Amino acid sequence: MAGDKETLLGMGFDPARVEWALKATGNRGLQPAMDHIFEHDGQPVPDLSGVAESKGGSSAPMDVDDDDDDVEALKGLGVVKGAVAGSSSGADAEAKSIKCSLCGKVFKNTALANYHAEKSGHDQFEESTEEIKPLTEEEKKQKLEELKAKLAEKRSRKAEEEALDFKANENIRRKQGKDLSKLRDEIKEKEILKEAEAKKREKIEEAKARAAVKAQIEADKKARAEKAAREKALREGKAFPDAGPATPAPAAKPAQPGPSKDYKETRIQIRFASGGSPITNTLPSDSPLRGVAELVAAQGPDIDVDSVQLTQAFPRKTFASADFSKSLKELGLTPSAALTASW
């Protein structure tokens, strides 16, 4: 009906939903249309050409002659009683409405009674002489306000539910973000530890390799020194201790330094770590080692005696500054020795 449509549009409902509600309820009135809008809120509006109109006729005031068939059908089902409510005899009274025997609501036609039966499940109705008067303008306004209040309350509840859903989803998203960030940090930390362990192992392997190379170099140096000392001893006609079976017993070695007292002079050969030709000189066996350092310092004006360092190749020994005051005899350098000088 035009009046119901204008009322619904005036309440702010979407025109397409209003058309859908009116067609779906068969234009049975404002309340059915409102119920339809509320029940299908949030659902997309279908193509109205495919929407079947609800049976039940219009919402116009009930005409007894036009609705006799509907009333008789309800009577046959035992839904509407034969007696008219409010009449003593029930014979001459004119039925102007249909009343629900269970809740007492009065409907002006069978269409609205059927709609009420579908929604409430009530199945006991009776004819009534009570005439449903049209709403006054004041009643229409009051009804409109009530409907608006219901609509606002429903929208408010929906907004609150959406806000709660949004908050819950946001909390889930934040938790997932924190968990993901924590997982990334743990993976990064594990990678750092793994890299540190790899570097540590690499350093250990490098240290082992350097130690092996250094040990080989030292072994080569020692072998060369032993070879040179052996060759020198052979040239000078002295016995050189050997690692073979003919090696003298260690107990006899302490007696060897004894004859060195007879050597009055010591032949010193000095090699230079910086290169150049070695020098050879003969010094008294009682001369201090400092005399050898002075020979080295005499080789250049920029050489300081106190900065000279003397090293014996075999057996390997580096003389400290405290040894400079000791004699060549005390240091076991007689009757000859080869020293390397650096500064």
Side-chain angles (χ1 to χ4, degrees), residues 42-60:
Q43 299 180 8
V45 179
D47 185 5
L48 296 183
S49 60
V51 176
E53 291 191 20
S54 177
K55 297 181 180 180
S58 68
S59 58

Side-chain angles (χ1 to χ4, degrees), residues 62 64 67-76 80 98 110 127:
M62 179 180 178
V64 177
D67 286 338
D68 283 344
D69 294 338
D70 292 332
V71 174
E72 291 299 327
L74 291 174
K75 285 181 179 180
V80 178
I98 297 176
T110 56
E127 296 176 339

Side-chain angles (χ1 to χ4, degrees), residues 67-112:
D67 286 338
D68 283 344
D69 294 338
D70 292 332
V71 174
E72 291 299 327
L74 291 174
K75 285 181 179 180
L77 294 174
V79 175
V80 178
K81 297 179 181 180
V84 178
S87 173
S88 58
S89 62
D92 300 328
E94 181 181 357
K96 296 183 178 180
S97 61
I98 297 176
K99 183 178 181 180
C100 177
S101 302
L102 299 178
C103 64
K105 289 186 177 181
V106 180
F107 306 95
K108 59 184 177 181
N109 56 33
T110 56
L112 295 180

Side-chain angles (χ1 to χ4, degrees), residues 92-209:
D92 300 328
E94 181 181 357
K96 296 183 178 180
S97 61
I98 297 176
K99 183 178 181 180
C100 177
S101 302
L102 299 178
C103 64
K105 289 186 177 181
V106 180
F107 306 95
K108 59 184 177 181
N109 56 33
T110 56
L112 295 180
N114 287 332
Y115 182 75
H116 174 72
E118 292 173 2
K119 289 198 62 180
S120 63
H122 296 172
D123 57 358
Q124 297 296 325
F125 295 85
E126 58 186 8
E127 296 176 339
S128 174
T129 57
E130 182 178 351
E131 183 178 1
I132 300 177
K133 297 180 180 179
L135 297 177
T136 63
E137 292 297 327
E138 187 66 27
E139 290 173 340
K140 288 182 180 180
K141 290 181 179 180
Q142 183 178 358
K143 187 70 172 178
L144 182 59
E145 292 298 327
E146 292 176 357
L147 294 176
K148 287 182 178 180
K150 290 182 180 179
L151 179 61
E153 183 181 357
K154 183 175 181 180
R155 288 178 176 174
S156 177
R157 286 198 306 269
K158 186 176 180 180
E160 290 177 358
E161 292 175 356
E162 290 177 351
L164 291 175
D165 291 341
F166 177 81
K167 186 176 180 180
N169 294 334
E170 184 67 14
N171 291 336
I172 294 174
R173 186 189 66 79
R174 289 181 179 178
K175 186 177 183 303
Q176 291 176 345
K178 289 180 180 179
D179 294 342
L180 181 60
S181 178
K182 183 178 179 181
L183 180 60
R184 288 176 178 172
D185 292 340
E186 290 178 354
I187 293 174
K188 186 176 181 181
E189 184 177 355
K190 289 181 180 179
E191 290 178 352
I192 293 174
L193 292 176
K194 186 177 180 181
E195 184 177 356
E197 289 293 333
K199 289 183 178 179
K200 185 177 179 180
R201 289 194 299 269
E202 184 178 352
K203 287 183 179 180
I204 293 174
E205 295 298 328
E206 289 179 355
K208 289 181 179 179

Side-chain angles (χ1 to χ4, degrees), residues 215-231:
Q216 185 63 41
I217 292 173
E218 292 296 329
D220 293 343
K221 283 184 178 179
K222 185 176 180 180
R224 288 195 298 270
E226 289 178 352
K227 181 180 179 181
R230 185 181 296 107
E231 292 175 351

Side-chain angles (χ1 to χ4, degrees), residues 316-329:
R316 183 74 179 179
K317 181 179 180 180
T318 300
F319 298 96
S321 58
D323 296 328
F324 278 21
S325 61
K326 297 179 181 179
S327 67
L328 300 178
K329 185 185 297 184

